[in-house]
Amino acid sequence: MYFKFTFCPIILLLWASLSFAQNVNVVIHGAASIAKTDDNFVCVTLDWWPAEKCDNNQCPWGKAEILNLDLRYGALINAIKAFNPLRIKVGGSLQDNVVYKVGEVSSCPNFMKREDGLFGISQGCLSMERWDQLNRFFNHTGVKLTFGLNALFGRNESQTEKGLWIGDWKPQNTRDFMQYTISKGYKVDSYEFGNQLSGSGMGAKVDAKQYGKDVIVLKNLVKELYAHPETQPKVLGPGGFYEEKWFNTFLEVSGQGIVDGLTHHIYNLGPRDDPNMMNKILDPSYLNQVSQTYKGVSDVVNKFRPQLGAWVSESGGALNGGSKDVSRTFADGFWYLDQMGMALTYDQKVFCRQALIGGNYG
């Protein structure tokens, strides 16, 4: 089933009128569609951030991380079931710091504070026991799953350029993880390769040409292990902030037919502690500025034509855990609805809200 949306400039008059308490006529011209969404356009994320993630005396994640989330929580179960189905993306900043306890990996450490670690956190681990629990939960609630893979496994940080990770991605841990997943009959709709490694990166980055070569390796691995095309998960990437040169370069290297969906992140409200956060949310001219990003991504999609188009695979408005006084309030709905509308206008197929539970977002 596809949903058709048509937007008219006269809608903007509604925004302007709110501050003047005037009556306004809103006209929707529904004769022609401008975009078609994926069946599961509405999407939310579950994140890896542990309770130890604290900034400015705020520790908003509690036990919402993937490894400790109470999967028996009735309100959470009912909320997910209500969407029937809901797309959930498991991932986030620490996904490139997660190993899977399967195959040759024997130790399984928990996330801990570590000054020299990625984002100040040590390497963490997903045990197959926890993976079993998560999949029982996903199956029970009817989740359509997108899983974010560790794209830094086997690489090393450059000694000459801070934040740049070099070398080839080593796929063995992912291979073992996928083989276990297949052996259990667990359904994964799509795999996203890495988190915010594009362009200047967030905490870490990978060169566009290197990323392009490595995503070919991932695609070939998926095709090898998932023999039947109809059950083959899609490959998504890069799951980061849009930078025109980087996106074009990686797609030129990987070529057509490798990346099924082009994914990017939107955090257009800036840092979470911005005192002007509420003014930004209520200012249509400010919210419209991010349209250039959507247009840029749309142009890249039109050039390289990935099968699933463009996805916003993570968007929380305010960076780094969300704004304590805004992100989980009614007022944030003005930003959220505006962004979903803009994403639709630029033919983005999926919009994943950060996060369903945890941080200041939930």
Side-chain angles (χ1 to χ4, degrees):
M1 177 180 180
Y2 290 112
F3 298 93
K4 297 183 179 181
F5 297 85
T6 303
F7 294 90
C8 175
I10 199 167
I11 294 176
L12 297 178
L13 293 175
L14 178 60
W15 286 89
S17 70
L18 291 176
S19 60
F20 298 104
Q22 296 176 345
N23 292 324
V24 159
N25 291 323
V26 177
V27 179
I28 306 295
H29 295 295
S33 64
I34 59 173
K36 292 182 179 180
T37 72
D38 182 85
D39 286 348
N40 303 105
F41 173 76
V42 175
C43 163
V44 295
T45 67
L46 291 177
D47 208 290
W48 293 101
W49 283 122
E52 290 77 11
K53 166 63 174 171
C54 302
D55 297 284
N56 302 324
N57 296 318
Q58 291 186 45
C59 307
W61 288 95
K63 292 187 176 181
E65 70 161 311
I66 294 161
L67 297 178
N68 289 313
L69 181 63
D70 182 0
L71 303 177
R72 299 166 299 175
Y73 182 34
L76 178 65
I77 291 170
N78 291 335
I80 295 173
K81 279 185 171 181
F83 282 85
N84 189 35
L86 176 64
R87 181 184 295 280
I88 289 182
K89 191 198 84 167
V90 171
S93 298
L94 294 182
Q95 78 180 51
D96 295 304
N97 218 17
V98 176
V99 296
Y100 318 120
K101 188 186 178 186
V102 62
E104 299 175 355
V105 176
S106 56
S107 64
C108 199
N110 292 321
F111 288 120
M112 298 175 60
K113 284 188 176 181
R114 179 175 168 178
E115 192 171 328
D116 62 345
L118 190 63
F119 299 102
I121 303 290
S122 68
Q123 187 179 74
C125 172
L126 174 63
S127 70
M128 294 304 95
E129 291 78 10
R130 183 58 174 174
W131 185 229
D132 293 339
Q133 293 169 7
L134 286 165
N135 276 279
R136 285 194 291 270
F137 174 78
F138 295 148
N139 184 60
H140 176 62
T141 54
V143 164
K144 199 174 185 74
L145 179 64
T146 294
F147 188 86
L149 294 168
N150 180 346
L152 292 183
F153 195 87
R155 306 188 204 270
N156 296 296
E157 188 170 5
S158 169
Q159 299 298 309
T160 58
E161 185 176 347
K162 184 175 175 58
L164 176 65
W165 287 65
I166 56 177
D168 294 335
W169 175 64
K170 290 184 169 52
Q172 187 60 52
N173 192 224
T174 294
R175 171 185 285 274
D176 293 338
F177 174 69
M178 286 185 180
Q179 286 178 326
Y180 180 87
T181 299
I182 293 167
S183 73
K184 290 287 188 174
Y186 298 151
K187 296 179 181 179
V188 178
D189 176 74
S190 46
Y191 289 109
E192 186 175 41
F193 189 50
N195 184 82
Q196 295 178 353
L197 302 175
S198 58
S200 302
M202 284 287 287
K205 62 182 179 180
V206 173
D207 177 76
K209 291 182 179 179
Q210 181 67 57
Y211 185 93
K213 290 191 293 184
D214 291 329
V215 80
I216 294 173
V217 174
L218 173 60
K219 182 68 171 183
N220 289 335
L221 179 63
V222 170
K223 290 169 69 174
E224 174 193 343
L225 297 181
Y226 291 87
H228 302 291
E230 62 273 14
T231 60
Q232 199 173 94
K234 305 301 184 183
V235 172
L236 312 175
F241 294 107
Y242 173 70
E243 290 188 15
E244 181 181 2
K245 182 178 179 181
W246 196 99
F247 270 56
N248 276 279
T249 299
F250 114 73
L251 287 169
E252 287 167 359
V253 171
S254 63
Q256 290 188 336
I258 299 297
V259 173
D260 298 299
L262 186 69
T263 55
H264 66 110
H265 294 179
I266 295 287
Y267 281 92
N268 59 314
L269 296 179
R272 68 179 187 182
D273 55 358
D274 186 344
N276 293 316
M277 186 73 65
M278 189 67 77
N279 292 332
K280 288 180 176 179
I281 286 176
L282 298 177
D283 182 356
S285 63
Y286 178 85
L287 295 177
N288 285 341
Q289 291 175 18
V290 77
S291 64
Q292 293 304 308
T293 297
Y294 284 109
K295 184 180 184 304
V297 173
S298 181
D299 289 344
V300 173
V301 166
N302 290 334
K303 180 178 179 181
F304 292 96
R305 300 198 174 279
Q307 179 187 355
L308 301 181
W311 293 21
V312 179
S313 62
E314 185 181 315
S315 184
L319 279 163
N320 199 18
S323 173
K324 179 172 67 73
D325 299 318
V326 178
S327 293
R328 55 188 174 189
T329 69
F330 173 83
D332 193 63
F334 289 100
W335 164 81
Y336 188 24
L337 293 172
D338 179 85
Q339 287 304 294
M340 286 197 291
M342 189 175 295
L344 291 165
T345 302
Y346 285 95
D347 204 17
Q348 313 282 292
K349 304 303 184 183
V350 173
F351 189 99
C352 297
R353 169 65 187 264
Q354 169 84 344
L356 176 61
I357 186 169
N360 290 311
Y361 300 114

